[in-house]
Amino acid sequence: MSQPAEPQAGRPHMPEYGISADPAGMLPWSWAVERLQTPRNYWLSTTRPDGRPHVMPIWCVWVNNAFYFSTGARSRKARNLAANPLCVISVEHSEGSVMVEGTAEITATESVPQEAFTAYKIKYDWELDPKMGPIYVLQPRVIFGFSNVPGEYTGSATRWTF
């Protein structure tokens, strides 16, 4: 299967943070992909129906520019996503942080790429199984990346849009 096209890179709008306007130093897309694929744990941020935030760890895999994950059908995460599918999945490494904003939707098992099932099994030694709970796909709208290396934050800040 061919890889999807890379998203467009630019600078995030962050007044008062000293973010460079110069594109030199922006992070390459490959930097973000590596950090999206390798962690074991991710943070899913959703919104409760009354507007309060909710953040919980999840397992997921990044395949073809989308996240695939599952959660119990009656979990707070699932109920929040049913009411408002807009969410964020974020990861942090010692050398950088990546946040993915988008819409998570339940997807039919036959719509999940085989690569997602395989990657999940290899990564977690666990099946991405719709009998255990619905499978979601998070299609990103925008992704933010920042280097955590001292002195690189303002020059590295990158926003990728889809």
Side-chain angles (χ1 to χ4, degrees), residues 87-101:
C87 61
V88 176
I89 293 179
S90 56
V91 298
E92 182 176 18
H93 287 257
S94 60
E95 71 280 355
S97 302
V98 184
M99 289 67 60
V100 178
E101 295 181 2

Side-chain angles (χ1 to χ4, degrees), residues 70 107 109 117 127-135:
S70 183
T107 188
T109 305
F117 290 107
E127 301 291 336
L128 184 59
D129 185 351
K131 291 180 253 159
M132 307 269 304
I135 297 174

